[in-house]
Amino acid sequence: MAEDNDPLRPRPTQDSRRFFMLPQAPIDSGYYVYGKLYGELAKGAYQYAHPTMMTSILRVAFEWQVIDKRRIGIGDISMAGGPKPPNHQSHRNGLQVDIRPLRKDGLEEPVTWMESQYDSASTAKLIELFRTFAPVVRLFFNGPGIPFVIPLKNHDNHFHVELRG
């Protein structure tokens, strides 16, 4: 889709709630962004974060860089203004985020917990960083053997973190 015909543009860096869009390509940030909206690359349109979420993502990414050179994949947060998204029941208040599990090969691509490239130990460490540095309310993920996560349909290739605002 050409950018001039993109219904998701313009994308202001701040929305009507005064939530900011997660920076999309910061150098040495410890994370990368991914996700689609309406079948197209979201390009930040689905990454408006409550200040608590923004702070938590940046802090966890910073802490992650200290222990691992792989970047973490940050996906859906909320759309500007908080409308109901087409593919979630939540993700309206900027306090939920989807994050990819880590891959053993370090590629910045999706992986399910059932694949050989899934890095269970590192994913568990990343989840623990969220529990340590963010006010976590709930964690959904189907990967077995990770403490404090709740299995939920369609959570094989990402974990969902919900924070208290």
Side-chain angles (χ1 to χ4, degrees), residues 24-126:
Q24 297 297 289
I27 296 173
D28 297 328
S29 64
Y31 70 88
Y32 66 95
V33 296
Y34 73 93
K36 291 189 175 191
L37 184 60
Y38 306 118
E40 299 289 331
L41 290 178
K43 301 177 189 170
Y46 209 156
Q47 293 188 315
Y48 286 86
H50 183 283
T52 301
M53 178 60 76
M54 182 70 75
T55 302
S56 298
I57 290 169
L58 297 175
R59 176 66 190 270
V60 168
F62 174 79
E63 296 293 338
W64 180 253
Q65 282 189 299
V66 172
I67 62 173
D68 200 301
K69 67 181 184 220
R70 293 172 290 182
R71 298 191 308 166
I72 59 176
I74 307 296
D76 301 342
I77 302 173
S78 75
M79 296 189 313
K84 183 179 181 321
N87 58 346
H88 284 98
Q89 294 301 315
S90 61
H91 291 272
R92 295 187 68 183
N93 63 6
L95 289 167
Q96 296 91 25
V97 64
D98 291 338
I99 300 173
R100 283 184 172 158
L102 277 296
R103 295 178 59 97
K104 292 176 184 173
D105 59 15
L107 295 178
E108 295 178 356
E109 297 177 0
V111 66
T112 69
W113 65 267
M114 299 161 277
E115 295 176 60
S116 63
Q117 283 302 319
Y118 166 62
D119 187 339
S120 177
S122 294
T123 300
K125 279 184 198 173
L126 179 57

